[in-house]
Amino acid sequence: MTEIVAERAVLTGKHLIAGEWVGAEAEFSSDPAHGPAHRFAVGTPELVDRAARAAEAAFETYGATSRGERAAFLDAIAHEIEARGPAITEIGTQETGLPEARLEGERGRTVGQLRLFARHIEKGEYLDRRHDVALPDRKPLPRPDLRMIQRPIGPVAVFGASNFPLAFSTAGGDTAAALAAGCPVVVKGHSAHPGTGEIVAQAIDAAIRTTGMPAGVFSLIQGGKRDVGHALVQHPLIKAVGFTGSLVGGRALFDLCAARPEPIPFFGELGSVNPMFLLPAALKARGAEIAKGWAGSLTMGAGQFCTNPGIAVVIDGPEARAFAEAAAAALEPVGAQTMLTDGIAAAFRAGRDRISAASGVREVLTSTCDLRNATPYLFATTGRDWLADEVLGEEVFGPLGLVVSAADFDEMQAIARSLHGQLTCTLHMDAEDGEAARSLLPVLERKAGRILANGFPTGVEVADAMVHGGPYPASTNFGATSVGTLSIRRFLRPVCYQNMPEAVLPADLV
């Protein structure tokens, strides 16, 4: 194993465009939770054009690299990120307010998924190779020789996420999947953590140089207003977009992608309330235990996870009321937590006010938070009021829970059917709940990309079988995942070669 030598990272405050660190006249200042602020160059549509053209030029070479060469590149990126681990943790905690343990764990996930994709493409199964041999003597018509393989689609745009400065940002899952597929990447860095993004970009730049990859295979553009994001998704050389963020922002970019003269796929993860359904036997036997686990999941990372389980659906009765009281008792000792940005904190308070003002909602636990802090809140409502008001099903990004008490199991099913698309749904059940679970499961399969039993959805395993996506508005493409090896399929397309001589075929087909 190669020894990891710690690199001392020095911020340039510049963009990385095809191997060059480029400044700009306009600058913006980072807004860290603590520690020093730094100045960064502001992106422009002109820089987007430069990066996209460099990516297209690089695709001619990078798209034809061998799987082994790309695997070595991904391994090199992981190595360079690890070499900069202390610097990444230091500035990441300053910019986001996340604790060191969270940043170090997320860094481990980031390098782990880069290496996972390296091993995945080495195996070659993702290519889905198919061969129908020629049947020249077939009657009434002969069959040609047909070979099919998955090929990279071209340059990909990736938008960094606010809540995952590493795993869903500069070298996160979208970037790793696109690079593994053979697609150059242009990243629009998130302004909540520009220093973290730059140090990771330095790691990628170093890996490009050590492995001899074309410089245009990766670019990072920092800051900028909406015109930069719009220029990126509308650039004619960009062939797909990966996005993790808000429903409003993601839908706007999705519409721009669809309105292009050449529409392109927009793979957006846009939010979810991740409802839990507590079935009667489990609620009676383990209600207090489930409530305690829910409180921990609800407040993890100040509730700033896309899989945060914001809704608990129960059947009304003494056990339901005891569950709500137990959840409140578990949430009450949780102190104020720093949120990722002032804007996210303000949006959390607005969501809290929206829920508390809804008809039929009562307060179970209230607290006080201001500035960039978040404290937990718990509300309760009836199934009837839930079904009458879609506002109650809208995501509140932060540590806020809502207990929905259904009158009976039929109303619980009606609540399940009323759901919009979700990333996850959870069934808490005991053996006696089997019939009810079997009845709910076909409904939930149509609502979510991942269905859990007796667990909590925060924490997404990076693996072959993981699905992190779901019907709209959880994501814009219900057939895709943004986590796990299956996510590489977003940046590939099938190509069939008919009667093609072997000397001309792609190496992976011979």
Side-chain angles (χ1 to χ4, degrees):
M1 180 175 289
T2 306
E3 181 183 0
I4 297 174
V5 179
E7 293 280 348
R8 182 176 181 272
V10 178
L11 291 177
T12 69
K14 297 179 179 179
H15 315 283
L16 175 62
I17 309 293
E20 296 183 23
W21 292 96
V22 180
E25 290 185 7
E27 293 184 341
F28 71 97
S29 177
S30 63
D31 186 19
H34 58 85
H38 301 278
R39 303 290 295 177
F40 295 88
V42 174
T44 64
E46 290 74 23
L47 287 171
V48 168
D49 180 64
R50 180 173 167 181
R53 290 182 183 277
E56 176 65 19
F59 182 56
E60 295 181 8
T61 302
Y62 187 68
T65 54
S66 70
R67 289 179 281 121
E69 289 171 326
R70 294 199 302 280
F73 177 40
L74 294 171
D75 284 334
I77 296 173
H79 176 81
E80 295 290 349
I81 290 173
E82 286 181 328
R84 293 161 176 78
I88 290 171
T89 299
E90 180 182 16
I91 195 164
T93 55
Q94 291 174 356
E95 290 184 324
T96 65
L98 295 172
E100 287 188 9
R102 158 68 191 274
L103 266 296
E104 290 169 358
E106 192 179 328
R107 188 178 72 246
R109 169 177 167 168
T110 302
V111 300
Q113 61 194 10
L114 285 161
R115 290 175 174 138
L116 177 66
F117 275 111
R119 306 291 80 78
H120 183 64
I121 61 175
E122 284 177 333
K123 295 175 185 176
E125 296 172 356
Y126 78 99
L127 294 168
D128 192 18
R129 288 172 281 209
R130 305 183 185 201
H131 185 195
D132 294 307
V133 298
L135 299 175
D137 299 325
R138 190 181 69 175
K139 304 297 182 181
L141 294 172
R143 183 174 77 186
D145 183 85
L146 300 171
R147 299 176 189 242
M148 189 274 283
I149 194 173
Q150 300 287 337
R151 298 294 295 153
I153 61 174
V156 171
V158 172
F159 286 74
S162 64
N163 59 333
F164 280 90
L166 297 172
F168 278 88
S169 290
T170 309
D174 289 344
T175 298
L179 292 176
C183 300
V185 174
V186 179
V187 171
K188 169 68 172 65
H190 200 287
S191 58
H193 43 76
T196 309
E198 184 188 325
I199 296 176
V200 174
Q202 291 177 13
I204 299 174
D205 186 39
I208 290 171
R209 297 174 190 277
T210 58
T211 58
M213 291 297 171
V217 75
F218 176 84
S219 292
L220 170 68
I221 299 172
Q222 300 271 36
K225 298 181 180 179
R226 291 181 179 178
D227 60 336
V228 175
H230 291 183
L232 188 54
V233 303
Q234 291 180 304
H235 198 286
L237 297 178
I238 295 296
K239 299 304 178 184
V241 178
F243 174 89
T244 300
S246 70
L247 173 59
V248 173
R251 182 55 196 253
L253 295 175
F254 173 82
D255 290 344
L256 288 175
C257 287
R260 285 174 39 148
E262 177 202 2
I264 60 171
F266 178 86
F267 298 103
E269 182 203 305
L270 308 183
S272 179
V273 295
N274 305 296
M276 306 187 309
F277 291 83
L278 282 66
L279 300 182
L283 180 63
K284 183 175 182 179
R286 301 182 285 112
E289 177 187 341
I290 296 170
K292 184 176 179 180
W294 183 36
S297 182
L298 197 64
T299 57
M300 183 185 298
Q304 298 169 114
F305 287 88
C306 48
T307 52
N308 189 33
I311 307 293
V313 184
V314 296
I315 295 177
D316 196 20
E319 290 86 4
R321 291 186 285 275
F323 168 78
E325 292 170 1
L331 289 169
E332 190 170 16
V334 178
Q337 295 174 277
T338 302
M339 302 200 84
L340 293 159
T341 69
D342 290 330
I344 289 174
F348 170 65
R349 292 191 292 272
R352 170 203 63 191
D353 295 342
R354 183 180 70 244
I355 296 297
S356 64
S359 177
V361 171
R362 64 180 180 86
E363 298 174 344
V364 181
L365 174 70
T366 61
S367 52
T368 301
C369 61
D370 58 11
L371 302 177
R372 198 162 164 171
N373 296 319
T375 50
Y377 291 83
L378 184 64
F379 298 96
T381 192
T382 66
R384 182 179 62 183
D385 287 321
W386 163 278
L387 292 168
D389 189 354
E390 287 200 353
V391 166
L392 298 178
E394 295 177 2
E395 181 185 29
V396 178
F397 196 61
L400 183 147
L402 176 64
V403 180
V404 181
S405 295
D408 50 31
F409 184 70
D410 287 343
E411 190 166 80
M412 178 178 275
Q413 282 189 310
I415 292 168
R417 292 191 181 97
S418 75
L419 291 170
H420 296 299
Q422 305 292 327
L423 294 172
T424 74
C425 289
T426 300
L427 288 169
H428 287 280
M429 57 185 177
D430 281 356
E432 303 94 306
D433 294 315
E435 183 178 350
R438 285 190 293 272
S439 179
L440 274 173
L441 192 58
V443 179
L444 300 184
E445 286 174 348
R446 298 182 65 186
K447 301 295 183 179
R450 177 164 58 115
I451 305 171
L452 297 80
N454 296 327
F456 300 95
T458 40
V460 182
E461 187 69 28
V462 182
D464 292 328
M466 177 52 64
V467 174
H468 190 62
Y472 184 85
S475 61
T476 56
N477 190 313
F478 63 84
T481 174
S482 62
V483 176
T485 55
L486 184 63
S487 66
I488 196 174
R489 292 295 298 268
R490 298 173 297 168
F491 308 123
L492 298 165
R493 65 181 183 88
V495 178
C496 176
Y497 302 86
Q498 182 169 326
N499 292 334
M500 190 68 63
E502 285 194 0
V504 181
L505 285 169
D508 282 325
L509 265 178
V510 178

